[in-house]
Amino acid sequence: MSILGKLKPWNPSIPYEILSLNISSKLSTNSDVIKASSKDFGKIVQEIFPAAVLYPSCVNDIIDLIQFSYGLSVPFCVAARGNGHCIRGQAMAQNGVIVEMKSLNNNNRNNGNCGARVSWDSYLGFYADVGGEQLWIDVLRATLEHGLAPVSWTDYLYLTVGGTLSNAGISGQTFRYGPQISNVHEMDVITGKGEFVTCSKHLNSELFFAVLGGLGQFGIITRARIVLDKAPTRVKWVRMLYDDFSKFTKDQEHLISIDGLNYVEGSLMMEQSPLNNWRSSFFSPSNQTKIGSLLSQNGIIYCLEMVKYYDDHTANTIDEELKKLVEGLNYLPGFMFKKDATFMEFLNRVRSGELELQSKGMWDVPHPWLNLFVPKSNIMHFNAAVFVDIILRQNKPTGPILVYPTSRKKFARFFPSLDSSPLLAC
């Protein structure tokens, strides 16, 4: 890391007065650092170069930076960067300063603090106070030591708490628990004025709801109090295939309307794309041959994915419970596939695919991604117009295409205009 005061020329958009601040030794203008901070996971928007990168050792370093900028007649841009998994450069700051939030995490580790503190309250139940810079995989490991875990997840766990809470945090648990932003009791936030504010739905509630899902435009999350529940030890993981989109969506809607399941998701499978992609290696070689034959006949099929958690106390009854849950579903006969896995293996399923692609040099490529809320009233038309008429007709390999079922009540606080039973297509 370079010391700012030793480098010339300094970007004129950042005043030299910043050198007098205590954080000056934690700012870098090293060309390699600047270049690395001008890329993100999407690899679509690049070369938006910041003037400097801040490596904070404590929250006060971020406060000092923002207060300094806010006090100028023309403030410079400040952007918090978690694990760099933005798609279109949202964590970049042209001619401004990027705050590398992971630097706080490194400082916590050096001080023997994992950044996640588990507690219990008679009103809240179990919860964890977690640094906004923490990766969800580290939160999971820390809470599992207490036999607990957060209830709502993203498919990929190597994202920061502050990053996903600034978006939504959606996965197959959303139909039951809502997105991650619906499972936060309280936060510490640094506002655009450099104010350090604790907020919740009862305290500074306007800021609380603005920051959750606010894309980082209303403040930087430095701590979040996350809902926890008793963690299972294992999961029964099931995938069922459909050649009829209507039956697929009706079964999804049915499964999220009943009690018993912990995770419901869906995806598209096409002949030109691998059956086992980087999201998970699920199907055995013999199953892949069987599914490949089905795809050659249909071109496109729909995969309904569901999971039921269990532990030692329910191990003897889990198979019977699962059998009852799938009764009456309209999947293709002979195309139900099951897998037993540990809770950790299931939640961290994407990681192995990522590491495999990294080893082949295939991970550091552009990753376009689109999230859409599609209401139930339009989902059939969406399938015909997009999945069939566009994606299938292109006849080109694609990345994962996911369909998450959920209900309006799980998003009502954040998206009041959604109708009664939307589906989230990603």
Side-chain angles (χ1 to χ4, degrees), residues 231-251:
T233 55
R234 301 194 67 84
V235 308
K236 288 289 184 179
W237 189 0
V238 180
R239 289 184 178 179
M240 297 165 284
L241 304 187
Y242 296 73
D243 59 3
D244 185 301
F245 186 72
S246 177
K247 292 178 180 179
F248 164 76
T249 57
K250 285 180 180 178
D251 280 358

Side-chain angles (χ1 to χ4, degrees), residues 155-156 237-239 263 265-269 273-284 288 291 303 305-307 339 341 344-357 363 369 399-402:
D155 286 345
Y156 180 66
W237 189 0
V238 180
R239 289 184 178 179
Y263 171 100
E265 194 170 295
S267 60
L268 272 64
M269 302 173 70
S273 298
L275 298 181
N276 284 333
N277 54 48
W278 56 265
R279 286 188 62 248
S280 67
S281 296
F282 186 92
F283 300 108
S284 67
Q288 290 185 58
I291 297 169
C303 176
E305 188 171 4
M306 68 183 206
V307 168
K339 191 173 184 178
M344 172 64 85
E345 285 171 344
F346 169 68
L347 289 182
N348 200 29
R349 60 198 178 278
V350 176
R351 181 62 169 174
S352 59
E354 176 192 5
L355 294 176
E356 182 180 354
L357 289 178
W363 187 249
W369 195 267
I401 300 172
L402 312 178

Side-chain angles (χ1 to χ4, degrees), residues 317-328:
T317 60
I318 182 64
D319 288 328
E320 187 62 29
E321 291 178 52
L322 199 60
K323 182 179 178 181
K324 291 180 180 179
L325 288 168
V326 301
E327 284 181 357

Side-chain angles (χ1 to χ4, degrees), residues 329-349:
L329 298 184
N330 293 299
Y331 59 90
L332 291 168
F335 285 92
M336 175 193 284
F337 307 92
K338 301 177 183 178
K339 191 173 184 178
D340 195 284
T342 68
F343 184 56
M344 172 64 85
E345 285 171 344
F346 169 68
L347 289 182
N348 200 29
R349 60 198 178 278

Side-chain angles (χ1 to χ4, degrees), residues 40-315:
D40 59 18
F41 178 71
K43 299 291 190 299
I44 298 169
V45 177
Q46 298 188 51
E47 298 184 357
I48 299 180
F49 297 113
V53 177
L54 174 68
Y55 291 85
S57 60
C58 63
V59 169
N60 284 337
D61 291 342
I62 306 173
I63 293 174
D64 288 346
L65 175 70
I66 295 177
Q67 286 182 346
F68 175 76
S69 177
Y70 182 74
L72 300 173
S73 57
V74 181
F76 52 81
C77 180
V78 176
R81 179 184 173 94
N83 209 24
H85 270 261
C86 297
I87 302 300
R88 297 192 61 84
Q90 292 93 333
M92 298 179 188
Q94 190 165 19
N95 297 326
V97 177
I98 288 176
V99 180
E100 280 288 353
M101 298 297 289
K102 287 189 297 183
S103 181
L104 292 175
N105 185 31
N106 295 336
N107 187 66
N108 283 331
R109 291 186 183 279
N110 291 336
N111 292 327
N113 184 349
C114 69
R117 187 176 68 253
V118 174
S119 305
W120 181 84
D121 179 89
S122 58
Y123 177 69
L124 299 178
F126 286 104
Y127 62 85
D129 284 304
V130 183
E133 76 286 350
Q134 292 293 304
L135 296 179
W136 282 104
I137 182 65
D138 293 329
V139 174
L140 176 61
R141 288 170 176 151
T143 56
L144 282 179
E145 292 181 2
H146 301 269
L148 302 165
V151 296
S152 188
W153 295 95
T154 55
D155 286 345
Y156 180 66
L157 303 187
Y158 287 76
L159 305 169
T160 61
V161 170
T164 65
L165 295 185
S166 295
N167 286 269
I170 293 171
S171 187
Q173 300 90 354
T174 300
F175 80 94
R176 184 167 182 178
Y177 297 105
Q180 290 182 316
I181 55 176
S182 294
N183 293 278
V184 181
H185 292 308
E186 181 181 282
M187 292 185 295
D188 289 337
V189 174
I190 303 173
T191 70
K193 294 181 179 180
E195 299 169 332
F196 182 82
V197 180
T198 298
C199 57
S200 69
K201 61 182 179 181
H202 303 298
L203 176 68
N204 299 311
S205 60
E206 188 174 356
L207 177 65
F208 181 74
F209 290 116
V211 170
L212 290 172
L215 300 178
Q217 300 305 297
F218 299 93
I220 296 175
I221 300 169
T222 60
R223 178 187 65 90
R225 181 164 288 178
I226 306 295
V227 176
L228 299 180
D229 201 356
K230 184 176 181 292
T233 55
R234 301 194 67 84
V235 308
K236 288 289 184 179
W237 189 0
V238 180
R239 289 184 178 179
M240 297 165 284
L241 304 187
Y242 296 73
D243 59 3
D244 185 301
F245 186 72
S246 177
K247 292 178 180 179
F248 164 76
T249 57
K250 285 180 180 178
D251 280 358
Q252 277 196 326
E253 291 174 35
H254 166 71
L255 291 173
I256 68 172
S257 71
I258 62 175
D259 293 327
L261 288 173
N262 303 96
Y263 171 100
V264 179
E265 194 170 295
S267 60
L268 272 64
M269 302 173 70
M270 284 169 286
E271 188 175 10
Q272 63 270 27
S273 298
L275 298 181
N276 284 333
N277 54 48
W278 56 265
R279 286 188 62 248
S280 67
S281 296
F282 186 92
F283 300 108
S284 67
S286 60
N287 288 338
Q288 290 185 58
T289 301
K290 181 179 178 181
I291 297 169
S293 177
L294 179 65
L295 278 169
S296 66
Q297 300 171 35
N298 295 274
I300 183 172
I301 54 177
Y302 308 94
C303 176
L304 194 160
E305 188 171 4
M306 68 183 206
V307 168
K308 184 166 180 61
Y309 300 161
Y310 73 101
D311 53 29
D312 292 342
H313 299 293
T314 54

Side-chain angles (χ1 to χ4, degrees), residues 373-380 382 418-424:
F373 284 100
V374 182
K376 176 183 177 180
S377 57
N378 289 329
I379 193 64
M380 294 302 296
F382 188 88
L418 291 176
D419 74 3
S420 60
S421 182
L423 292 172
L424 177 65

